[in-house]
Amino acid sequence: MTRSPLHAARAGIGALWCTTLALVALSFEHPLLVGSALAVAIAAGFAAGVGRAVMRSLVWALPLALAIALINALVTRDGLTLVFRGPAVPGIGRLDITAEALAYGTVLGLRAAAIMACAALFTAAIDPDALLRALRRRSLRIGVTAALATHLVGVLARDGRRLAEAQRTLREGPPPRLGVLRAVTSGALDRATDVAATLEVRGFGGGGRAVRIAQPWSRHDFAFLASAVAMAALAIACGVGGWEAFAAYPRLVVPLEPRQLLVAVALPICALLPFLDRRGIG
């Protein structure tokens, strides 16, 4: 069953759309625009039916964002507004924290959260098998490498759970060497079997170039391609035209003018408009 228009679009177009959204978030520095990109990623996740996966990624992104903001405030010596005068550390200097460094670190953390949300959307909404089939048509080696990389994530996670269960059952004393050897050996054999099955199912053992089956472009393909182009054009125009006008150093300047508001409103419209067409969605 097709869950959303993003699932209905071909995998390459969906991957391009998610990647473009992440690059747009990476290109912005104005807090309003970065927040708009983050909101778009969250809204797209719920529109695609994978909102929980995106929100779980933000749970992990929050500590990272706080760490980025704190580290930037500690290591950056720029900025005129002193908010905390710390002690002098040998080899580093005085740990002074400025409002500008703290604010810019917060923007960097918010940007990291937006990129992680886009990556979670990519992982949850884009069919990896379809991407791998497209890669295999271009290069067999690239397809094999991608298949191994994506499949081994789940295999290693199962290995970690297996070892954790073994540790819980052997808390009473030191584990016997034979038991540890048996667990490691069985994990290696299971991993080899899973990898071989993955390669066989995806048809990499047949060799040669895969037969390409022509698929007509759907309206969802055109819609998400146009959306990606519009988001990229908006980000380029914003950067080339200097619409952001954001400056963190030496003094914090966060303008809030009609052009910033226009970009903050236009980005969600360009990104989320393809999700409104749900014809043919089960």
Side-chain angles (χ1 to χ4, degrees), residues 185-255:
T185 304
S186 63
L189 292 176
D190 290 343
R191 184 183 300 111
T193 303
D194 290 341
V195 171
T198 301
L199 296 178
E200 182 179 1
V201 168
R202 285 165 172 80
F204 291 119
R209 186 178 295 271
V211 179
R212 183 174 183 177
I213 302 176
Q215 295 181 351
W217 281 54
S218 66
R219 59 178 179 275
H220 299 293
D221 295 331
F222 287 110
F224 279 99
L225 179 60
S227 175
V229 172
M231 288 191 295
L234 191 63
I236 293 173
C238 188
V240 174
W243 292 0
E244 288 188 88
F246 172 80
Y249 308 110
R251 185 176 295 277
L252 185 63
V253 178
V254 187

Side-chain angles (χ1 to χ4, degrees), residues 113-133:
I115 294 175
M116 290 184 66
C118 294
L121 177 63
F122 184 105
T123 304
I126 306 303
D127 183 9
D129 289 339
L131 283 178
L132 293 178
R133 284 193 294 269

Side-chain angles (χ1 to χ4, degrees), residues 42-120:
I42 296 174
F46 282 100
V50 294
R52 290 186 176 181
V54 175
M55 296 306 295
R56 280 197 300 267
S57 71
L58 293 180
V59 173
W60 291 96
L62 181 59
L64 177 63
L66 294 177
I68 291 174
L70 181 59
I71 292 173
N72 186 78
L74 291 175
V75 302
T76 303
R77 298 291 181 267
D78 299 328
L80 300 177
T81 308
L82 185 66
V83 296
F84 177 76
R85 189 163 187 81
V89 179
I92 299 180
R94 186 173 295 277
L95 297 180
D96 294 336
I97 297 179
T98 63
E100 289 79 9
L102 190 59
Y104 191 65
T106 304
V107 172
L108 293 178
L110 186 64
R111 182 192 293 171
I115 294 175
M116 290 184 66
C118 294

Side-chain angles (χ1 to χ4, degrees), residues 143-178:
V144 171
T145 303
L148 291 175
T150 54
H151 185 73
L152 283 179
V153 173
V155 176
L156 294 177
R158 289 195 297 271
D159 285 349
R161 289 193 295 269
R162 184 184 296 113
L163 292 177
E165 292 176 358
Q167 289 178 353
R168 286 194 296 269
T169 57
L170 297 174
R171 284 179 180 177
E172 298 179 356
R177 294 183 178 180
L178 183 59

